[in-house]
Amino acid sequence: MQIAVIGAGVSGLLSALELVEQGCTVSIFDQQQAGQAASWAGGGILSPMYPWRYAPAVNQLAQFGKAYYQQWNQQLLPHTAIDFQIHDTGMLIFDQDDFELGLNYKQQHAEPMQHCEYVANTRLKRLNPRLSSDFNQAIHFPHLSNIRNPRLLKSLIVYLQQHPKVTFHSHQQIVKFSIQGDHVNAIHTTDGRAYHADQFVMATGAWSAQWQQQLQLEIPVAPVQGQMLLFKTPKNWLPTMCMNQVMYLIPRRDGHVVCGSSVRECGFNTTPDQKVSADILKASLKMVPELAQFPIVQQWAGLRPSSPDGIPYIGKMPDLKNLWANFGHYRNGLCMGPASARLLRQLMLQQQTLVDPSPYTTLRLKPNIATVS
């Protein structure tokens, strides 16, 4: 089976990986270089932030993230020599209004990654001696990890590029589907070339709404900018991830500390805003004042594919038998990515699914009345 995957972010790359490992032949298209959009820009926390704030369908996929990445890392590492660097740091959340919610979520759902306990004073300082003296209590999630997403993406790309059943088409923007009846016959690029396949996958992230007119659907996915700062500290300097008022610190193994993030609706603009940078810096130093001693080595912004409830669209597109969706993950594309791709593969190949696929159905997409005659 020949499959064309449109979009080479983490959703597209993992979808391609799942399919090619089942014997499919896959062509991957991206309007820029593979792995350069939101997937590269994210923090890589392998859990939704404050999972109790999200719909169950989000957490249902996210709970597989760490285990699936560990499996893929083990499989790909001998071929790519690129370690995903899954870093088992645990996380401290300081939002007191969420303490009871987090502890109740642990009791109700018994998800291993969301096991947590209340910690205070001396015990808290033992877990992370870098914390500000203003913080003397938290809920501690010992099993939460982060993944170094640029390394993840690089490993996926290297593995797929050397795979005999995969072809990459970079800097190839898809602008049109050729549709006959209930089938897509081909996709067309800006330079007029047509590419044929048996099945087509839309893994187009924040750009998914571009298909509204042609598919006569409302696709409520839009870009929401998220901005980050990166410090360089000594190796293993910050022992845990930290979260306070939706701002986070994520330590990498080599001493880099990712600080974020923001929520800003500004279209497809990826230029960092200096006021936002100042807000992130202030929030970071509030948690760990000693960070001020170290250099900020980079700042950037990425575009999350927002959707109304953060639940992605996964499955066959309405009224078309060979066009499939895997988009709309909003803030949780990295942690939901592996299970989303596996679910898509299972649906496409008519295999038993790891979860009930109905919460992710594209039947949630409404007809676009403005384009229907």
Side-chain angles (χ1 to χ4, degrees):
M1 184 187 295
Q2 173 69 47
I3 298 172
V5 176
I6 308 167
V10 72
S11 294
L13 293 171
L14 286 169
S15 297
L17 180 61
E18 285 282 351
L19 290 161
V20 79
E21 292 299 298
Q22 296 285 310
C24 301
T25 301
V26 179
S27 298
I28 304 171
F29 296 83
D30 200 88
Q31 61 189 356
Q32 49 185 324
Q33 281 295 115
Q36 292 299 304
S39 305
W40 175 89
I45 302 173
L46 293 181
S47 167
M49 300 190 305
Y50 314 96
W52 45 92
R53 300 184 185 181
Y54 286 93
V58 171
N59 293 309
Q60 182 173 237
L61 292 180
Q63 67 180 320
F64 295 98
K66 181 178 176 179
Y68 283 7
Y69 279 130
Q70 287 171 328
Q71 294 165 15
W72 282 126
N73 195 34
Q74 187 175 24
Q75 180 176 335
L76 270 57
L77 186 59
H79 301 276
T80 69
I82 303 168
D83 184 4
F84 295 177
Q85 291 191 2
I86 299 169
H87 195 18
D88 300 326
T89 59
M91 177 180 280
L92 295 167
I93 293 184
F94 304 116
D95 303 74
Q96 294 183 28
D97 290 345
D98 284 273
F99 287 180
E100 186 176 352
L101 292 168
L103 293 165
N104 287 340
Y105 186 91
K106 175 196 75 169
Q107 295 292 343
Q108 293 170 12
H109 297 279
E111 296 171 13
M113 293 300 102
Q114 304 305 338
H115 173 79
C116 64
E117 54 191 348
Y118 174 81
V119 294
N121 302 319
T122 303
R123 191 173 175 206
L124 177 60
K125 298 305 184 196
R126 280 202 303 266
L127 287 168
N128 193 332
R130 307 291 181 188
L131 296 177
S132 166
S133 58
D134 293 338
F135 293 92
N136 54 26
Q137 55 183 334
I139 47 175
H140 178 222
F141 294 77
H143 304 303
L144 289 191
S145 305
N146 66 79
I147 192 168
R148 195 143 183 193
N149 39 305
R151 294 182 66 89
L152 160 68
L153 292 161
K154 189 174 181 182
S155 179
L156 291 171
I157 291 164
V158 168
Y159 181 80
L160 291 168
Q161 281 178 334
Q162 65 190 24
H163 200 290
K165 286 183 171 286
V166 177
T167 305
F168 274 85
H169 300 271
S170 298
H171 301 287
Q172 293 286 340
Q173 183 178 2
I174 306 302
V175 293
K176 181 185 175 184
F177 295 118
S178 284
I179 299 174
Q180 186 170 9
D182 57 7
H183 276 74
V184 175
N185 293 326
I187 49 178
H188 297 261
T189 59
T190 48
D191 58 7
R193 282 187 281 183
Y195 294 88
H196 299 267
D198 301 310
Q199 305 281 341
F200 299 85
V201 175
M202 295 169 56
T204 38
W207 288 263
S208 299
Q210 69 176 307
W211 304 111
Q212 288 188 128
Q213 185 170 355
Q214 189 176 10
L215 297 179
Q216 298 184 352
L217 292 168
E218 291 182 13
I219 301 178
V221 176
V224 173
Q225 190 197 83
Q227 196 165 312
M228 315 283 266
L229 298 177
L230 185 68
F231 282 90
K232 181 62 174 75
T233 72
K235 187 176 180 180
N236 297 321
W237 183 81
L238 186 65
T240 71
M241 292 186 284
C242 301
M243 181 92 69
N244 186 50
Q245 298 175 358
V246 199
M247 292 290 189
Y248 53 71
L249 305 177
I250 306 171
R252 305 302 197 199
R253 289 181 185 174
D254 64 359
H256 282 99
V257 178
V258 181
C259 307
S261 79
S262 60
V263 174
R264 183 171 169 236
E265 296 184 13
C266 53
F268 289 94
N269 178 11
T270 56
T271 303
D273 178 84
Q274 291 309 305
K275 182 185 181 303
V276 173
S277 294
D279 290 342
I280 294 172
L281 177 60
K282 181 180 178 181
S284 301
L285 298 182
K286 182 178 180 180
M287 286 185 275
V288 179
E290 287 180 82
L291 275 172
Q293 302 173 17
F294 301 104
I296 296 173
V297 293
Q298 196 174 355
Q299 58 178 309
W300 66 90
L303 301 174
R304 308 181 188 94
S306 74
S307 54
D309 46 16
I311 300 173
Y313 299 92
I314 304 170
K316 194 178 294 182
M317 291 293 285
D319 302 323
L320 292 166
K321 291 188 174 179
N322 66 336
L323 180 61
W324 300 81
N326 188 9
F327 60 77
H329 295 75
Y330 196 21
R331 301 188 73 146
N332 295 299
L334 275 163
C335 60
M336 284 196 283
S340 296
R342 187 153 301 179
L343 177 60
L344 175 71
R345 176 260 285 178
Q346 290 166 341
L347 290 169
M348 291 182 72
L349 303 184
Q350 299 182 344
Q351 299 168 345
Q352 183 175 349
T353 57
L354 76 159
V355 297
D356 175 9
S358 59
Y360 315 100
T361 178
T362 62
L363 296 178
R364 294 179 291 147
L365 299 171
K366 298 176 182 178
N368 189 341
I369 298 171
T371 63
V372 179
S373 56

